Amino acid sequence: MRRVFIAGVGSTVFGRHLEIGIEALGIRACELAIRDAGVDRDRLGALYLGNFVSGPLLGREVLAGIVADGLGLGAIPCTKVEGACASGGMAFRHAYLSVATGQCEAALAVGVEKMTQADTTQVTSALNCAMDHDQDALAGLTFPGVFGLACQAYMDRYDLRRDQLSQVVRKNKFNGLANPLAQMGDDLQIDQISGARLISDPLRLFDCCPASDGGTAALLVSEEFLPSIKHPVEVIGSAQTRGNSTIGGQRDLCSFSATIAAADAAFAQAGITPDEVDFTELHDCFSIAEIIDSEDLGLVPRGMGGHFAAEGRTSANGDIPINPSGGLLAKGHPVGATGLGQIYESVQQLRGQHPNQVQGAMVAMTHNLGGTGVACTVNILRMHGA
Amino acid sequence: MRRVFIAGVGSTVFGRHLEIGIEALGIRACELAIRDAGVDRDRLGALYLGNFVSGPLLGREVLAGIVADGLGLGAIPCTKVEGACASGGMAFRHAYLSVATGQCEAALAVGVEKMTQADTTQVTSALNCAMDHDQDALAGLTFPGVFGLACQAYMDRYDLRRDQLSQVVRKNKFNGLANPLAQMGDDLQIDQISGARLISDPLRLFDCCPASDGGTAALLVSEEFLPSIKHPVEVIGSAQTRGNSTIGGQRDLCSFSATIAAADAAFAQAGITPDEVDFTELHDCFSIAEIIDSEDLGLVPRGMGGHFAAEGRTSANGDIPINPSGGLLAKGHPVGATGLGQIYESVQQLRGQHPNQVQGAMVAMTHNLGGTGVACTVNILRMHGA
């Protein structure tokens, strides 16, 4: 495996983009990443596009080829990859692999989704495409349902209070306030969060991430490009795994096996331990997901996720910063783009250019989870020269 | 790049499978391929699943993880890939790459689609997901429309008669008659084909492939498995390319640039020329497509596709056998499975076990094309030891 570097990133704002099509969102993100990298587009040897529900929601597929056509790329392989909410992470992983294994010297990963033109029923039904229909969906489950059950199981087992759960939300919403790409940053009081409308017991409105439109891209290159890149960020660990496709198949509702396996593999490749990570962008589709993920990734001891948030340890200036971007809860969750949005935010941090800068950040981790934990990607990034 | 071998293949019948779900079709094909290969499933290091319209037609995604769960695989990366009608070829290509680049020693590629439960309008609309919506689809184009235009342009430029076009259909329908996996084999007379109901001028009913349900899988392995494989088939060339995503963007309606690029790359890797190929399974979604593809692949001189079919040269016992399986026209086109169906048929031929056996076949080519030529894969296979 060769060394791989992120030469450039680009992103649209996450939020509502009613004025342009999903193809244009993807093209815009790619153009920004190409410009940021300063790499000639003729050097690109592969394009991977992460997208989840463009088929059912928009009746549009084969987006990888359409985006490549819009960019004027050559006759290179262009592939859409799908793994529910982990689709963006998978696109990054495959672009990484294509450079790491010598398939090409430069590759583009782009994630894109467009959801806000649909009503809530359509979105819920589209997101349910990530569920096993013959088992969980037939039982009436939705994703707020899955994470509501997980939250109940977690509260049952550990000493997690409602106000601690709300601290996770408060932190991420507050981080989102300073992030110009975030859809729903806010300065919320704990009472507002804890007393908001019930969605899926015990999860309330602000415990749930919003549906979004957005596109994000990253341009990855081999070592030969190093001299010409301004702020190279090295991908020192990258892993993709699978877990259970049904909630009934999960032995433990307070943990996702795919996350544990992906983190193990990524840390082994990187040759570092969780305490050497300076900050993490993880998959907080619901507040309880941030708590579970932080424990699965080895950042926080079991049962302590809520406590650490309440003590400010996971804030941008804490000792274990989590989702300084605002995460999915505040930045939004344009599903196929989310995994690449985490890469975008991490690169800004490692360059020292983030609105919620983690001081001295040199090593970042990203974590993208799909469905009922059926698919996961974990990446570990390090500022080159650090 | 390491040497890669197909250790086993498996397939359901192509046709109507109203009794089981798309997940079960995929699992069944994989189980057959695993049994055929005689490889322990614990050795599998990656799964790639090709599928196109399960999202819009069935509301089901994240199929790679669900199929892997059904097979009881480990925490390995499982990825759905999509490139319209080339999705199956892309799954094969990525499983090939994962072994060729040393990501793992054994990988599973599976393609699956389920379309026959939907009515014609739903299917047409789902297939149109492969079209650029802002351009071609807005102009009212459908895929019979695209290939009708291509056929008109071809007839305009070359000396192709209706009865020659019908000879392509007659050959493939007849080949399908002996193939137990084929959906619509038939012994049709030229008059029946030439006089059938008009679909998209000049294409008539039998010029168009049927919508299908089906699943096909291939298990690929590295050289270390060679001693234990009964009939190893080597992948000596494999390429994936992109072409235009709109019909307006195509310079020439009588050719697909993605096919030419993919064939060039696959032949270069294999180190052979088209005349060294013993037979080809190519993407005859419409009769005219077989003619164009056969010329793009370098098998037949420009303008001669119809003549060669009429002279019997592309029959199973001709000198340039094309689609001895019956092709998409007779075997059916369960979109995401088609590319892997071609691999299945080719492996049966190379093993000398095909109902329409091409005598002495040692080298096969497969060709899978998506959308308006936006995505293409070409593979060249050789019987090990040949």
Side-chain angles (χ1 to χ4, degrees):
Chain A
M1 298 277 277
R2 307 192 302 172
R3 297 176 72 182
V4 180
F5 301 86
I6 303 172
V9 289
S11 187
T12 70
V13 167
F14 283 9
R16 282 174 90 79
H17 289 280
L18 296 177
E19 78 292 0
I20 59 168
I22 189 166
E23 301 87 347
L25 278 177
I27 292 167
R28 191 176 288 183
C30 289
E31 289 287 6
L32 290 168
I34 292 169
R35 194 190 310 162
D36 185 46
V39 168
D40 194 301
R41 69 189 69 203
D42 292 345
R43 303 293 304 273
L44 292 170
L47 180 146
Y48 284 92
L49 183 142
N51 171 262
F52 174 34
V53 286
S54 177
L57 275 186
L58 304 168
R60 299 182 185 211
E61 288 287 358
V62 77
L63 294 174
I66 293 176
V67 166
D69 217 359
L71 294 169
L73 304 186
I76 62 171
C78 298
T79 311
K80 165 174 161 173
V81 291
E82 185 273 330
C85 303
S87 300
M90 285 184 180
F92 181 80
R93 163 82 178 157
H94 280 81
Y96 161 79
L97 278 180
S98 67
V99 177
T101 63
Q103 294 305 297
C104 57
E105 300 303 318
L108 205 47
V110 52
V112 71
E113 206 75 67
K114 204 157 172 345
M115 309 166 77
T116 69
Q117 79 294 337
D119 64 32
T120 309
T121 311
Q122 288 170 322
V123 168
T124 302
S125 148
L127 293 175
N128 254 32
C129 289
M131 206 163 275
D132 186 307
H133 272 242
D134 297 332
Q135 301 186 48
D136 291 348
L138 266 186
L141 264 182
T142 61
F143 282 100
V146 167
F147 284 89
L149 288 172
C151 197
Q152 283 179 1
Y154 189 99
M155 286 179 144
D156 232 39
R157 184 182 310 171
Y158 302 112
D159 166 36
L160 173 70
R161 297 193 316 267
R162 173 67 246 187
D163 64 289
Q164 292 170 326
L165 194 61
S166 296
Q167 292 280 7
V168 172
V169 178
R170 178 168 160 68
K171 165 181 71 72
N172 289 0
K173 286 288 190 185
F174 189 76
N175 286 343
L177 209 51
N179 187 345
L181 298 190
Q183 178 177 13
M184 284 193 177
D186 209 341
D187 186 4
L188 295 173
Q189 299 311 304
I190 295 299
D191 284 355
Q192 279 178 283
I193 301 165
S194 301
R197 183 155 60 87
L198 200 63
I199 300 294
S200 171
D201 192 21
L203 300 176
R204 293 172 180 272
L205 184 63
F206 300 115
D207 291 306
C208 311
C209 68
S212 305
D213 308 330
T216 310
L219 198 159
L220 293 95
V221 296
S222 67
E223 210 163 354
E224 75 165 76
F225 283 84
L226 262 189
S228 62
I229 305 172
K230 236 188 214 162
H231 309 287
V233 168
E234 186 168 359
V235 184
I236 59 172
S238 169
Q240 181 187 330
T241 55
R242 78 161 197 95
N244 293 300
S245 61
T246 63
I247 195 165
Q250 260 173 261
R251 294 221 180 133
D252 185 352
L253 284 175
C254 304
S255 174
F256 293 103
S257 62
T259 299
I260 295 173
D264 281 353
F267 279 119
Q269 186 190 348
I272 66 167
T273 53
D275 59 301
E276 293 175 77
V277 168
D278 293 320
F279 71 94
T280 302
E281 290 287 335
L282 57 73
H283 202 86
D284 60 325
C285 46
F286 298 90
S287 52
I288 185 64
E290 171 158 322
I291 292 175
I292 291 174
D293 297 344
S294 66
E295 299 173 9
D296 283 342
L297 292 167
L299 298 170
V300 173
R302 287 280 165 206
M304 296 302 290
H307 297 268
F308 276 37
E311 291 163 12
R313 296 184 62 177
T314 55
S315 300
N317 58 4
D319 62 326
I320 308 166
I322 293 177
N323 288 328
S325 70
L328 286 60
L329 286 174
K331 199 189 165 193
H333 186 24
V335 180
T338 292
L340 277 152
Q342 298 171 328
I343 298 288
Y344 177 92
E345 299 290 338
S346 299
V347 167
Q348 301 305 326
Q349 286 280 1
L350 297 175
R351 289 178 180 175
Q353 298 171 349
H354 200 277
N356 296 315
Q357 184 63 42
V358 172
Q359 291 311 314
M362 290 295 163
V363 177
M365 174 160 62
T366 67
H367 163 260
N368 197 196
L369 189 70
T372 53
V374 65
C376 184
T377 63
V378 169
N379 294 292
I380 301 174
L381 315 178
R382 184 167 56 200
M383 195 66 205
H384 183 57
Chain B
M1 298 277 278
R2 308 191 302 172
R3 297 176 73 181
V4 179
F5 301 86
I6 303 172
V9 289
S11 186
T12 70
V13 168
F14 283 9
R16 284 174 88 80
H17 289 281
L18 295 177
E19 76 293 358
I20 59 168
I22 189 167
E23 301 87 348
L25 277 177
I27 292 166
R28 193 176 287 183
C30 290
E31 289 287 6
L32 291 168
I34 292 170
R35 195 190 309 163
D36 185 45
V39 168
D40 193 302
R41 69 190 68 203
D42 293 345
R43 304 292 304 273
L44 293 169
L47 181 147
Y48 284 92
L49 183 142
N51 171 263
F52 174 35
V53 286
S54 176
L57 275 186
L58 304 168
R60 299 182 184 209
E61 288 287 359
V62 75
L63 294 174
I66 293 176
V67 165
D69 217 358
L71 294 169
L73 304 186
I76 62 171
C78 298
T79 310
K80 164 175 162 172
V81 291
E82 184 273 330
C85 303
S87 301
M90 286 185 181
F92 182 80
R93 162 83 179 155
H94 280 81
Y96 162 80
L97 277 180
S98 67
V99 176
T101 63
Q103 294 306 298
C104 57
E105 301 303 318
L108 205 47
V110 51
V112 71
E113 206 76 66
K114 203 157 173 347
M115 310 165 77
T116 68
Q117 79 294 336
D119 64 32
T120 310
T121 310
Q122 289 170 322
V123 168
T124 302
S125 148
L127 292 176
N128 253 31
C129 289
M131 207 162 275
D132 187 308
H133 272 242
D134 297 333
Q135 300 185 50
D136 291 347
L138 266 186
L141 264 183
T142 60
F143 282 99
V146 167
F147 284 89
L149 289 172
C151 198
Q152 283 179 2
Y154 189 98
M155 286 178 145
D156 232 40
R157 183 181 311 168
Y158 303 111
D159 166 35
L160 173 70
R161 297 193 315 267
R162 173 66 246 187
D163 63 290
Q164 292 169 325
L165 193 61
S166 296
Q167 292 280 8
V168 172
V169 178
R170 177 167 161 68
K171 165 181 73 70
N172 290 359
K173 287 286 191 186
F174 189 76
N175 286 343
L177 209 50
N179 187 346
L181 298 189
Q183 178 177 14
M184 283 194 178
D186 209 341
D187 186 5
L188 295 173
Q189 300 310 306
I190 294 298
D191 285 355
Q192 280 178 283
I193 301 165
S194 302
R197 182 155 61 88
L198 199 64
I199 301 294
S200 171
D201 193 19
L203 299 176
R204 293 173 181 272
L205 184 63
F206 299 115
D207 291 306
C208 312
C209 69
S212 306
D213 309 329
T216 311
L219 199 159
L220 295 95
V221 296
S222 67
E223 209 163 355
E224 74 165 78
F225 283 84
L226 262 189
S228 62
I229 307 171
K230 237 188 214 162
H231 310 286
V233 168
E234 186 169 0
V235 185
I236 59 172
S238 169
Q240 181 187 329
T241 55
R242 78 161 198 96
N244 293 300
S245 60
T246 64
I247 194 164
Q250 259 173 261
R251 295 221 179 132
D252 184 351
L253 284 175
C254 303
S255 173
F256 294 104
S257 62
T259 299
I260 296 172
D264 281 353
F267 279 120
Q269 186 190 348
I272 66 168
T273 52
D275 60 300
E276 293 175 79
V277 168
D278 293 319
F279 71 93
T280 301
E281 290 287 336
L282 57 72
H283 202 87
D284 60 326
C285 45
F286 298 90
S287 52
I288 184 64
E290 170 157 324
I291 291 176
I292 291 176
D293 296 345
S294 67
E295 300 172 9
D296 283 341
L297 292 167
L299 298 169
V300 172
R302 287 280 165 208
M304 296 303 289
H307 296 268
F308 275 37
E311 292 162 12
R313 296 185 61 177
T314 56
S315 300
N317 58 5
D319 61 326
I320 308 166
I322 292 177
N323 288 329
S325 71
L328 285 60
L329 286 174
K331 199 189 165 193
H333 186 23
V335 180
T338 292
L340 277 151
Q342 297 172 328
I343 298 288
Y344 178 93
E345 299 290 337
S346 299
V347 167
Q348 302 305 327
Q349 286 280 1
L350 297 176
R351 288 178 180 175
Q353 299 171 347
H354 200 277
N356 297 314
Q357 185 63 42
V358 172
Q359 290 312 313
M362 290 295 163
V363 177
M365 174 159 62
T366 67
H367 163 260
N368 197 198
L369 188 71
T372 53
V374 65
C376 184
T377 63
V378 168
N379 294 292
I380 303 174
L381 314 178
R382 183 166 55 201
M383 195 65 205
H384 182 57

